[in-house]
């Protein structure tokens, strides 16, 4: 392999694999041994295992991302997408965030654009659903849940209120379970600030197509988690599929129908579709074919790892590949960087081998489930294990310090319950007042961030048309694209010590008369 001059390494994607590979290469490469370019649409790497805690307000969202330009000094960072790769020509086509696409020449390719949500052609899913893979989605869901509580607490129509307080999660892997459990925990806590709302007024539903949740842990631990969730009043529907979500009307294949104001899709991931726009070999699932040395199979100067790659799992039988997890991604990045360096220096390379250690999942404050090397932990010890493990893994001392500061504050103060949903479209209010034609009649005041369709004089009639429009949407969910930019200053971490949240009362125990929600027809709790 002769490159003539210092080879140019192009890294596609600045997530787990991309960032850790670049970091290690930068540390170990001598001065002019090679140059590195990282192409990534975000200016940061997202530590995804902390997204549920960010959504629940236990962590400041900015503390769960790592700024690439800060940690990858000496690398060129291009903010944009790689849209095509011709490895034969050693050329990548890049669409920057601004301006025209351009071609970039390279010598060595590290391709790691990760995965995207694996969706199904369910009517209404694209319009109603949101995923849970990015900081923007975590922030958005936090705002969404709190804004639904705000809206429901002020709504007079029972159906509108019921819809706003119904939260549907589809998919029972660790991302879905953690997101559901953390958000429910936050909403339950928030209910104590709403005299007109009790936790029992909310309906949280998990729909899972298979017969179990958390496939990453043993069936016994999955069952334990189901029981924990059900004990909290969360309805877990196993062996059930969603047939339709049109206009937020949920139709399940067991015949049940209900309306949901929030639909979160966490039913697994698939390899990034951009891989199909390369001349590299893919397997039947659309993953890059890789060797155990983390090279693209049969292709010179091309390396891969992480969610997008079918890496042989040497700890298992013939044909097994490593699953999509941060645990593998981080270790593969390390091996990939070492092998790439070794190849540059004409030294031997080594295969990647790691037996899956297990999983830790947080189910809300002080609640969790963990199974590490066969050791099973539940409740508080599992939650502590989750925090300790991820604190040790989150990159950079700077991030670790900030995360610890967030958690420490949470010991003394309860979390914020403010929805800053208008951050998704902060110009909406200004647009409204600056557009003469849409100036509202006296007395019509739309909330900032409200869709233009229900703004202005026509608002009243439009608002009658659907239940959702009748609820002021501080965040414009559903239907707003998930890719809203991360808003500045999402609620700071939890204030004051966690108080016991009110349990659903059987009735009559409250001294003050309080308007109650109408009975739910579903009988979930
Ligand atoms: C909510 C959640 C919780 C999780 N919790 C855990 C956990 O507890 N334990 C665990 O082991 N795993 C966990 N995971 C999984 C883990 O985060 C992933 O397996 C890991 O991020 C995969 O790393 P990666 O580098 O392959 O992909 P990513 O980290 O997703 O990085 C891919 C990067 O490529 C970029 N990109 C995409 N397309 C392009 C393009 N065309 N051009 C340039 N760049 C592009 C993306 O913006 C992204 O930054 C969790 C995932 C989620 C969503």
């Amino acid at each position: 392999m002769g490159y003539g001059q210092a080879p140019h390494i192009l890294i596609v994607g600045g997530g787990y694999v991309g960032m850790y590979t670049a970091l290690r290469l930068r540390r170990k490469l001598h001065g002019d041994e090679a140059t590195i370019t990282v192409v990534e649409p975000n200016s940061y790497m997202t530590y995804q295992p902390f997204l549920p805690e960010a959504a629940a307000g236990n962590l400041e969202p900015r503390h769960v991302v790592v700024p690439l330009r800060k940690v990858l000094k000496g690398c060129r960072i291009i903010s944009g997408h790689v849209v095509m790769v011709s490895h034969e020509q050693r050329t990548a086509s890049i669409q920057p965030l601004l301006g025209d696409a351009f071609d970039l020449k390279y010598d060595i390719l590290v391709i790691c654009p990760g995965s995207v949500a694996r969706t199904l052609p369910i009517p209404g899913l694209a319009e109603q659903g949101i995923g849970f893979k990015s900081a923007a989605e975590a922030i958005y869901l936090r705002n969404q849940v709190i804004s639904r509580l705000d809206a429901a607490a002020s709504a007079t129509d029972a159906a509108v209120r019921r819809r706003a307080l119904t939260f549907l999660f589809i998919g029972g892997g660790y991302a879905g379970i953690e997101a559901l459990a953390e958000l429910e925990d936050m909403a339950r806590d928030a209910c104590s600030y709403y005299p007109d709302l009790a936790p029992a007024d909310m309906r949280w539903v998990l729909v899972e197509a298979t017969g179990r949740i958390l496939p990453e842990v043993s069936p016994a631990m999955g069952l334990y988690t189901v029981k924990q969730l059900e004990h909290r009043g969360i309805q877990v529907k196993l062996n059930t599929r969603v047939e339709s979500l049109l206009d937020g009307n949920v139709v399940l294949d067991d015949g049940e129908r209900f309306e949901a104001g929030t639909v979160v899709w966490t039913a697994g991931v698939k390899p990034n579709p951009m891989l199909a726009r390369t001349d590299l070999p893919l397997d039947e699932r659309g993953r890059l074919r890789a060797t155990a040395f983390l090279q693209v199979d049969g292709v010179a100067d091309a390396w891969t790892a992480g969610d997008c790659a079918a890496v042989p799992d040497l700890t298992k039988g013939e044909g097994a590949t490593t699953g999509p997890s941060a645990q593998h991604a981080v270790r593969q990045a390390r091996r990939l960087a070492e092998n790439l360096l070794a190849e540059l220096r004409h030294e031997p390379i080594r295969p990647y081998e790691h037996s899956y250690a297990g999983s830790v999942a947080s189910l809300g404050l002080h609640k969790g489930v963990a199974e590490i090397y066969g050791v099973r932990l539940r409740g508080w010890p599992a939650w502590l294990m989750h925090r300790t493990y991820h604190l040790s893994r989150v990159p950079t001392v700077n991030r670790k310090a900030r995360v610890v500061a967030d958690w420490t504050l949470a010991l003394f103060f309860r979390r914020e319950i403010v929805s800053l949903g208008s951050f998704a479209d902060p110009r909406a209010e200004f647009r409204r007042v600056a557009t003469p034609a849409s100036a509202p009649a006296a007395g019509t005041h739309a909330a900032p961030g409200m869709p233009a369709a229900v703004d202005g004089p026509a608002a009243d009639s439009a608002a009658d048309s659907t239940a959702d429009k009748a609820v002021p949407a501080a965040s414009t969910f559903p239907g707003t694209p998930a890719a809203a930019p991360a808003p500045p200053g999402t609620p700071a971490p939890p204030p004051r010590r966690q108080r016991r949240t009110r349990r659903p009362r059987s009735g009559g125990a409250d001294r003050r008369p309080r308007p109650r929600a109408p009975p739910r027809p579903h009988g979930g709790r």
Side-chain angles (χ1 to χ4, degrees), residues 8-12 35-40 76-79 81-96 100-109:
H8 177 205
I9 302 169
L10 172 64
I11 301 181
V12 179
T35 58
I36 303 171
T37 300
V38 179
V39 185
E40 163 63 50
R76 182 182 175 204
I77 311 283
I78 297 177
S79 297
H81 288 87
V82 169
V83 287
M84 226 173 63
V85 175
S86 168
H87 189 63
E88 210 185 319
Q89 310 281 325
R90 302 290 191 272
T91 304
S93 302
I94 296 170
Q95 178 58 62
D100 296 334
F102 61 90
D103 287 349
L104 187 71
K105 286 279 189 193
Y106 62 82
D107 299 299
I108 300 170
L109 179 70

Side-chain angles (χ1 to χ4, degrees), residues 21-251:
T21 303
L23 205 57
R24 201 163 187 92
L25 285 174
R26 199 57 276 156
R27 280 189 193 142
K28 296 219 160 177
L29 280 168
H30 304 140
D32 56 358
E33 217 175 349
T35 58
I36 303 171
T37 300
V38 179
V39 185
E40 163 63 50
N42 300 307
S43 61
Y44 51 80
M45 173 263 191
T46 305
Y47 190 80
Q48 289 172 347
F50 273 154
L51 288 180
E53 285 216 49
N58 299 331
L59 287 174
E60 156 68 37
R62 277 199 178 78
H63 299 167
V64 306
V65 299
V66 183
L68 293 178
R69 286 186 170 81
K70 210 165 169 181
V71 294
L72 296 181
K73 293 205 177 85
C75 298
R76 182 182 175 204
I77 311 283
I78 297 177
S79 297
H81 288 87
V82 169
V83 287
M84 226 173 63
V85 175
S86 168
H87 189 63
E88 210 185 319
Q89 310 281 325
R90 302 290 191 272
T91 304
S93 302
I94 296 170
Q95 178 58 62
L97 293 187
L98 282 178
D100 296 334
F102 61 90
D103 287 349
L104 187 71
K105 286 279 189 193
Y106 62 82
D107 299 299
I108 300 170
L109 179 70
V110 177
I111 181 159
C112 44
S115 53
V116 298
R118 186 186 60 216
T119 54
L120 294 171
I122 295 173
L125 173 62
E127 295 76 25
Q128 304 295 322
I130 185 168
F132 195 76
K133 248 184 102 44
S134 67
E137 285 165 334
I139 292 166
Y140 193 84
L141 272 172
R142 173 169 171 67
N143 288 328
Q144 166 69 7
V145 170
I146 296 174
S147 76
R148 293 308 80 186
L149 298 185
D150 288 336
S154 315
T156 49
D157 182 318
V160 166
R161 184 180 155 106
R162 192 163 51 240
R163 177 182 171 121
L165 292 176
T166 302
F167 305 91
L168 171 66
F169 284 68
I170 306 164
Y174 49 54
I177 295 297
E178 283 192 302
L180 162 72
E182 288 281 0
L183 281 163
E184 191 272 348
D185 194 55
M186 174 198 74
R188 176 176 286 273
D189 186 40
C191 276
S192 61
Y193 295 102
Y194 295 83
D196 298 334
L197 287 184
D201 297 336
M202 298 186 293
R203 185 177 185 210
W204 292 78
V205 185
L206 172 72
V207 172
E208 163 58 44
T210 70
R212 59 166 300 193
I213 62 168
L214 290 179
E216 303 80 9
V217 297
S218 64
M221 293 303 266
L223 195 61
Y224 163 82
T225 309
V226 169
K227 291 209 168 106
Q228 285 302 307
L229 297 178
E230 285 179 342
H231 181 70
R232 284 158 60 173
I234 298 169
Q235 203 179 343
V236 181
K237 293 177 81 74
L238 302 177
N239 296 310
T240 308
R241 288 170 190 273
V242 175
E243 287 188 340
S244 175
L245 293 164
L246 281 174
D247 296 327
N249 295 306
V250 182
V251 181

Side-chain angles (χ1 to χ4, degrees), residues 12-13 40-41 81-83 111-117 133 269-278 282 285-288 307-309:
V12 179
E40 163 63 50
H81 288 87
V82 169
V83 287
I111 181 159
C112 44
S115 53
V116 298
K133 248 184 102 44
V269 293
K270 65 177 183 189
N272 195 311
M274 72 76 59
L275 299 171
R277 295 189 295 276
T278 69
L282 304 183
R285 284 159 63 181
R287 296 176 299 176
L288 280 169
D307 285 9
C308 72

